[in-house]
């Protein structure tokens, strides 16, 4: 392997966005959509709350571990804490520095599409010597769904938010393999049989604002 390829950690939940981001940046996967320059992902990292009662309901840790094993990459868990003297941002920053020390990474890859954290990750990498890489940033959602389908990245919906997605649609999505066609068919079904909400144009098709989560 070319020694000039930068080492990277990939923030990984096992959800579709982190899996797609890994495929787009890794020198192991040569896709029609690969970003340049390619990176060497040497570790997957799961940033998780230290309080297990607040653990991710959409991405069970054991599922994430199985995903990592199937990809043949090590997965490390970094627990995020806060206290009266340090913030969540400080905790992220310390964890990123640990990754740099332990694995020699200079890049941190995320599957972020929009700035839903109001610049949180940009601030978290500051002073760490690690650059944030976001290969999905601002990509139109139909294009993301097409990439997932073309690369045969199969995913199911594991959680929906009923304040963002009507219950009848949620029931049809949960546990179901999602394709662009199926997703839009369910939105069209709802608008035909219920008070029209124009879901195809009002719901983020990638669930970036919490409408739905996946693995």
């Amino acid at each position: 392997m070319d020694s000039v390829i930068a080492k990277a950690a990939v923030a990984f939940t096992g959800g579709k966005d982190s899996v797609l981001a890994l495929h787009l940046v890794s020198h192991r996967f040569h896709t029609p959509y690969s970003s340049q320059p390619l990176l060497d992902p040497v570790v997957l990292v799961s940033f998780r709350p230290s309080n297990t009662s607040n653990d991710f309901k959409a991405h069970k840790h054991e599922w994430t571990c199985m995903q990592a094993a199937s990809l043949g990459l090590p997965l490390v868990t970094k627990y995020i804490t806060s206290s009266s003297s340090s913030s969540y941002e400080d905790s992220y920053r310390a964890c990123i520095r640990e990754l740099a020390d332990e694995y020699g990474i200079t890049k941190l890859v995320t599957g972020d599409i929009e700035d839903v954290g109001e610049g949180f990750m940009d601030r978290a990498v500051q002073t760490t010597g690690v650059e944030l890489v976001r290969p999905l940033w601002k990509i139109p959602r139909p294009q993301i769904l097409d990439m997932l389908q073309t690369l045969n990245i199969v995913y199911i919906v594991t959680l929906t938010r009923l304040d963002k997605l009507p219950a009848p649609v949620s029931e049809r999505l949960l546990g179901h393999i999602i394709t662009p066609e199926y997703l839009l068919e369910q939105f069209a079904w709802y608008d035909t049989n219920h008070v029209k909400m124009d879901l195809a144009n009002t719901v983020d098709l990638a669930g970036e604002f919490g409408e739905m989560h996946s693995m």
Side-chain angles (χ1 to χ4, degrees):
M1 186 184 68
D2 191 337
S3 60
V4 303
I5 298 179
K7 293 181 179 180
V10 179
F12 192 78
T13 63
K16 68 182 188 318
D17 298 333
S18 59
V19 172
L20 180 57
L22 170 65
H23 279 70
L24 295 188
V25 302
S26 176
H27 70 95
R28 298 174 55 199
F29 305 105
H30 294 281
T31 80
Y33 314 107
S34 292
S35 58
Q36 296 293 334
L38 293 174
L39 305 175
D40 179 18
V42 293
V43 65
L44 306 177
V45 56
S46 176
F47 296 105
R48 307 186 80 87
S50 59
N51 184 345
T52 55
S53 66
N54 293 328
D55 202 10
F56 303 137
K57 295 178 175 61
H59 308 113
K60 295 297 184 183
H61 189 53
E62 56 267 33
W63 300 349
T64 305
C65 291
M66 288 188 286
Q67 289 275 58
S70 72
L71 290 163
L73 288 168
L75 173 72
V76 298
T77 301
K78 295 294 184 182
Y79 291 101
I80 305 303
T81 61
S82 68
S83 67
S84 58
S85 59
S86 65
S87 65
Y88 285 113
E89 197 173 293
D90 295 327
S91 183
Y92 261 91
R93 195 172 292 118
C95 289
I96 294 167
R97 289 197 186 102
E98 288 175 3
L99 289 168
D101 292 340
E102 294 164 2
Y103 295 93
I105 66 158
T106 58
K107 314 284 184 182
L108 175 64
V109 180
T110 77
D112 295 333
I113 306 171
E114 297 287 343
D115 187 14
V116 295
E118 300 179 342
F120 180 89
M121 289 306 298
D122 295 277
R123 297 190 301 274
V125 298
Q126 288 176 359
T127 75
T128 64
V130 174
E131 178 187 355
L132 190 62
V133 178
R134 295 177 284 203
L136 306 184
W137 195 245
K138 299 294 185 181
I139 294 179
R141 307 310 186 262
Q143 186 178 340
I144 287 177
L145 297 184
D146 286 344
M147 286 193 287
L148 289 163
Q149 193 168 40
T150 299
L151 299 178
N152 199 29
I153 297 174
V154 179
Y155 68 98
I156 64 171
V157 170
T158 57
L159 182 145
T160 64
R161 281 185 54 176
L162 296 180
D163 60 333
K164 292 179 177 289
L165 203 60
V169 174
S170 293
E171 291 169 359
R172 286 171 167 248
L173 297 181
L174 281 170
H176 202 287
I177 292 175
I178 301 300
T179 64
E181 294 79 13
Y182 182 80
L183 187 62
L184 293 175
E185 283 171 6
Q186 303 320 304
F187 289 171
W189 167 83
Y190 182 88
D191 280 341
T192 299
N193 294 281
H194 302 79
V195 176
K196 186 176 176 63
M197 295 180 65
D198 193 20
L199 293 176
N201 294 307
T202 57
V203 170
D204 190 293
L205 298 181
E208 183 67 357
F209 297 96
E211 298 93 336
M212 49 193 158
H213 297 269
S214 67
M215 287 201 78

